[in-house]
Amino acid sequence: MRPHRGFAVAAAAAFAMAAGSACGPQQLDGTLVLEFPSWQAADESFSAWWLELIDAYEQENPGVEIDFYQVPFDSFVAQQTTRFAAGDPPDVVHLPSSNAVAFATRGWLEPLDERLAETDILQEWTPLQEQMKWGEDYYGVLLLGYGYALFYNEALLAEAGVDVPTSPDELLAAAEAVSASSDDVFGFGATTVQNPDNYTELTSFVVGGGGSWSDPDGAITADEPVAREALQQYRDVLATAPPGIQSQQRNELFFNGQIAMLIDGPFLLSEVRGAPAEVRDDLKVAAPPFDVVPGGVSNGLHVPADADPETADAVWNLIELAARPEWQERYTELAAVPAPRQGSVTEEALAEVPELDLFGTLADDAVDIFPTAPGLRQEYGRVGDTVASAAVRLFATDTTVDDVARNLQRELEGVGHGR
């Protein structure tokens, strides 16, 4: 039976007092217990894979157990930042990939180059693995890279007399047509309260139109014409969305047949399958209505820099197990998204989930919505908050798009590394 975290912490505290140490791995009756907080422990799309993987790991590594538990995503990065800053990191480090560089540059993560050299990961992984690199070193193994897709309700579009959109103009026309067709439905779904998702949703329009928040050297481009056009498109389309909702409320309205379209990653598909039967068959997926496929790196696994050798090796053994072909194929089967190892989408998985073919193509073509300029990657937390605030001004105020763009330009330049 896996030790409960509360009991483990109490036992570890007693052990730490005896050993004169404030933190570190927990030893219970000779068993090494690895603490593993994650926002996916209770996630419908990914928890099944994690639980199977952990069971296999514990069978393969007698004397090591994993304390895998849920931390809400909204507070996850802040909580982990506090713990690392206090010298009390978890043993297994699971991070949103957009935040990994900030942890690496603070010296909190172990460079993995020597460990990776003993595997085929760098040869067999998606090129998006490069986002795990800072300077000359890799600090993590990517678990998911993806392209965004358009999820739509085929019946609502047909009732409004519009086709599946393939451009931002068609997206707006279709959203307005659906909204005009009934007082009970909305043309588009988005996060319309302040939330970290504001960054991803607004930036999808910018990257989809061929823009970005900076050039490769970090010079800010938020006030360029291509960015302004995307800001206007985002504002216009979100005018057809329900006001004052979070992403989960958005999803529930879509599953209930009250929202016609939304843009999200392939991980939404598993939730679509749980929609009410009378709606489920109408919910389809297509390429996003942009010239460029926006996408990104989702999350990865890391080893804490200050872990003792036994713990570091035990954590790496979990990462190495997760990267094996059989567990990458299982990831694709259970999560219904393409795993990062080449060849992970089997014929059996494709027969079960035909959308994997589209998701794989979108992942191959995707352009990252997260900053690529080194200075902005290092300060992603501030960049994300700044862009999210601009998004709120677009959907919740009458501030002109030109003013929003100028303010955003100035604020991003103030992050410290823009010019």
Side-chain angles (χ1 to χ4, degrees):
M1 178 179 177
R2 187 169 302 142
H4 187 276
R5 173 170 165 71
F7 171 73
V9 169
F15 175 82
M17 290 178 64
S21 173
C23 60
Q26 302 158 13
Q27 294 279 357
L28 298 175
D29 299 328
T31 298
L32 176 66
V33 181
L34 301 178
E35 184 194 357
F36 182 5
S38 171
W39 67 95
Q40 293 185 345
D43 184 284
E44 184 177 344
S45 299
F46 297 99
S47 62
W49 181 77
W50 282 117
L51 294 175
E52 283 193 14
L53 179 75
I54 289 169
D55 283 345
Y57 174 87
E58 291 177 343
Q59 291 178 28
E60 192 172 289
N61 296 270
V64 184
E65 293 186 353
I66 296 179
D67 181 16
F68 182 52
Y69 64 94
Q70 177 75 12
V71 175
F73 181 74
D74 288 349
S75 61
F76 187 85
V77 173
Q79 186 179 116
Q80 301 311 304
T81 300
T82 300
R83 291 193 55 178
F84 272 92
D88 180 32
D91 302 313
V92 181
V93 183
H94 187 206
L95 290 174
S97 298
S98 55
N99 299 96
V101 164
F103 280 62
T105 58
R106 294 176 184 176
W108 292 345
L109 304 178
E110 177 189 305
L112 299 179
D113 301 76
E114 291 185 7
R115 297 184 189 274
L116 287 167
E118 301 297 320
T119 74
D120 65 354
I121 291 175
L122 295 182
Q123 291 75 42
E124 298 297 329
W125 237 239
T126 168
L128 292 171
Q129 168 65 20
E130 292 303 298
Q131 288 287 53
M132 296 289 100
K133 195 173 186 180
W134 178 254
E136 298 299 321
D137 299 315
Y138 292 94
Y139 288 90
V141 173
L142 182 68
L143 286 177
L144 177 61
Y146 58 90
Y148 282 105
L150 177 73
F151 291 83
Y152 65 94
N153 185 312
E154 188 175 52
L156 290 181
L157 294 186
E159 289 168 9
V162 294
D163 296 326
V164 179
T166 59
S167 69
D169 288 343
E170 291 181 6
L171 175 65
L172 176 60
E176 290 179 338
V178 171
S179 292
S181 68
S182 170
D183 293 335
D184 297 326
V185 297
F186 298 88
F188 192 73
T191 306
T192 48
V193 293
Q194 184 143 16
N195 185 279
D197 288 333
N198 303 139
Y199 174 90
T200 58
E201 293 175 358
L202 173 56
T203 308
S204 292
F205 279 76
V206 174
V207 171
S212 66
W213 299 125
S214 79
D215 70 14
D217 295 325
I220 302 302
T221 55
D223 200 22
E224 297 291 328
V226 65
R228 289 191 186 215
E229 183 177 6
L231 298 184
Q232 186 66 59
Q233 291 166 348
Y234 172 83
R235 164 173 276 181
D236 291 343
V237 172
L238 261 67
T240 71
I245 62 170
Q246 302 271 3
S247 58
Q248 190 55 43
Q249 294 169 296
R250 177 203 67 166
N251 295 348
E252 290 169 1
L253 289 170
F254 180 66
F255 301 150
N256 288 331
Q258 294 173 272
I259 284 178
M261 297 174 288
L262 57 84
I263 294 171
D264 208 330
F267 26 81
L268 185 66
L269 184 64
S270 62
E271 293 188 56
V272 169
R273 292 170 161 181
E278 62 272 22
V279 178
R280 187 169 54 237
D281 289 345
D282 293 326
L283 304 184
K284 310 290 186 182
V285 61
F290 302 120
D291 291 336
V292 176
V293 177
V297 288
S298 175
N299 62 97
L301 285 174
H302 314 266
V303 179
D306 293 335
D308 66 79
E310 181 187 12
T311 301
D313 288 345
V315 174
W316 174 253
N317 288 342
L318 176 66
I319 298 175
E320 190 276 331
L321 178 65
R324 293 180 193 171
E326 62 270 29
W327 283 103
Q328 290 289 290
E329 292 175 5
R330 191 62 176 150
Y331 185 94
T332 300
E333 293 169 1
L334 290 176
V337 295
R341 175 180 281 277
Q342 294 181 26
S344 297
V345 181
T346 64
E347 292 298 326
E348 292 77 11
L350 200 56
E352 181 71 21
V353 185
E355 294 88 347
L356 285 171
D357 190 31
L358 171 65
F359 293 155
T361 299
L362 295 178
D364 290 341
D365 294 340
V367 173
D368 201 345
I369 65 168
F370 296 105
T372 55
L376 296 182
R377 289 181 69 196
Q378 191 173 357
E379 298 288 346
Y380 172 71
R382 293 180 62 191
V383 172
D385 290 344
T386 301
V387 172
S389 294
V392 172
R393 288 196 289 274
L394 287 168
F395 64 69
T397 77
D398 294 327
T399 308
T400 68
V401 166
D402 287 348
D403 284 344
V404 171
R406 279 193 292 269
N407 289 337
L408 183 54
Q409 175 81 20
R410 183 172 59 254
E411 290 167 359
L412 287 176
E413 289 173 345
V415 167
H417 296 271
R419 300 193 299 233

